[in-house]
Structures are given as C-alpha cells and as structure tokens.
Amino acid sequence: MPPESPWSCILWDVDGTIVDASDGILHRLTVTLEHFGRPAPTRAELVHWIGPPMFDSFQAQAGMDAELAATAVAWYRELGRAEGYTTGARLFPGVAELIHDLDRAGVPQATASSKPERQVHVLMEHFGLAPAFATMAGATPDERTLATKADIVAEALRRLRIDGIDTSRPVLVGDRHHDIDGGAVHDVPVIFVRWGFSWPHESEGASAVADDIHDLRALLLPAASVEPARP
C-alpha cells in the first residue's frame, strides 16, 4: 500500500464528482424529452437525473415504460455522439490536480461510473486524465447489462485485481446516494463530495464527507510528500 494514502486503491464516480457535464445533459434531455412529448426539466430538476442510469431515470422521472425508456436512451445517446461527449463539460476545480498527485504518489485509481464506458474514456482522454487510471469502468452501451453502481464497482475491482493491484483497502469517491448504496454491496467505503448534484440527506451512510477539494485531498492523500501537479 502506498505510504502516502490510507487506501490501496481509489474508485471515482465521474458525473458530479470529476466532471460537471450539466450543460450538455440539460440540453440533450430537453431535446429528447420534447421529442417524446414530455416536459423538459429545469436546471434545478437535474438533481433527479444525474447519477442514476438514464434508463432508470427516463422511467422514474418521465413516466416511461421500459421499452420506451430504452428508445429514449438510444435517442439521447445519439445526440451525445453527434454533438460530442465533451461539449459543455468541464472539470470541477482542483480534481484533476488531485488525481495527478495520487497517480504520482503511486495510488492506483479507476473510474466506476454509471455513464457508458465509451463516454468515460472520451472524457478522461479529453481532460488528460486517462493515463492516471489503471482502468476505466462504466456502464455497457445499453445501460442495462452493466448499469447499477454495485455492478460497476464490482467490475472496477475485478479489473484491478486482474492487473495485480491490491484492492484490500478500496474507497469510492462519489456525489450521490447511489454511490453509497453501490459501495455498501461490496463493503467499499464512500467519501461523499458535496460539490456534485445531490440533496443534503444523500450523504447519509458515507464514511466521510468532503465539502471541498481540500477536504478530499486530506482524506485521500493526508501524508503526501509530493509537490502538487501543475495543471
């Protein structure tokens, strides 16, 4: 285990934790829902959409049955592909620097995202973060075969073990209760970050809460002996 961190490996949620993609998500949801005769969400209502798999959200938030939700997801994803997955996306302040510093400290990292895995790869490559991750796990394209946070956490850990990485002390960093629930299935503690898209009560059950990037750095790299990475 790297001496600079109490964790043998770190799993990262993406939307709301590393990346703020809310502008693009709101635009694509508006176009998709209006196409299917549903009202567009307001920005305040994005908290209901960002986090869970879109297949689930189209059912829970737009009242679609499973068949229509699958069609809506395909429509929504095609918009993203056509517009570019990075359009309107930006990093939350300080997160990239922390990920690079953890990598330089020798702490293995992986994504564990409910976003389709292809999108995770594109985003991490776009922001220059891909080399810092030992693996990037995300949902399958249909967002049904591999979609729950518990399944994705399991897949991320499985890949890390295959690569010979110590998973005895994992931690998941996320911003929604789905992260806490998914981590709990595998006894993975969760550090809940408050800068994402969540309700105040969603941090219940988390092992720790980070109000800002400084709090998160202290939890992940408390004895860091490396200099901060340059942007």
Side-chain angles (χ1 to χ4, degrees):
M1 182 183 301
E4 295 87 356
S5 176
W7 312 105
S8 66
C9 61
I10 298 169
L11 310 183
W12 290 86
D13 174 54
V14 174
D15 272 343
T17 301
I18 298 175
V19 175
D20 179 357
S22 57
D23 287 349
I25 291 172
L26 180 59
H27 167 69
R28 291 189 291 275
L29 279 175
T30 296
V31 173
T32 301
L33 288 169
E34 289 180 347
H35 173 79
F36 288 96
R38 264 65 171 186
T42 64
R43 175 164 288 277
E45 291 170 338
L46 275 180
V47 69
H48 300 296
W49 290 88
I50 298 178
M54 278 295 175
F55 176 71
D56 295 342
S57 293
F58 277 115
Q59 295 176 78
Q61 306 304 327
M64 297 181 177
D65 60 25
E67 182 178 358
L68 185 57
T71 303
V73 167
W75 180 277
Y76 174 86
R77 295 304 179 196
E78 178 58 26
L79 281 176
R81 187 198 65 76
E83 295 177 354
Y85 299 129
T86 63
T87 300
R90 54 187 179 271
L91 293 171
F92 286 103
V95 176
E97 290 79 6
L98 177 54
I99 290 172
H100 285 307
D101 285 348
L102 286 161
D103 182 45
R104 296 204 308 160
V107 185
Q109 300 174 87
T111 66
S113 174
S114 294
K115 293 180 77 68
E117 191 166 303
R118 172 58 182 160
Q119 292 187 34
V120 173
H121 277 262
V122 170
L123 283 166
M124 295 304 97
E125 289 164 3
H126 174 74
F127 289 116
L129 294 174
F133 292 105
T135 189
M136 288 180 277
T140 48
D142 62 3
E143 298 182 52
R144 299 174 72 176
T145 306
L146 182 65
T148 70
K149 183 61 71 161
D151 287 346
I152 293 168
V153 166
E155 177 63 13
L157 292 173
R158 185 189 70 83
R159 294 181 191 178
L160 291 174
R161 292 188 192 107
I162 288 174
D163 288 341
I165 292 171
D166 180 8
T167 61
S168 63
R169 291 292 308 281
V171 67
L172 171 64
V173 182
D175 73 311
R176 299 303 305 269
H177 71 88
H178 305 87
D179 298 306
I180 296 171
D181 293 343
V185 172
H186 304 286
D187 296 320
V188 176
V190 173
I191 296 174
F192 188 93
V193 299
R194 292 199 187 279
W195 55 75
F197 302 92
S198 63
W199 300 104
H201 70 276
E202 288 192 65
S203 63
E204 294 176 6
S207 295
V209 174
D211 289 320
D212 56 37
I213 193 63
H214 304 291
D215 289 346
L216 183 59
R217 176 178 288 273
L219 291 164
L220 296 181
L221 209 53
S225 58
V226 296
E227 298 177 0
R230 296 180 180 180

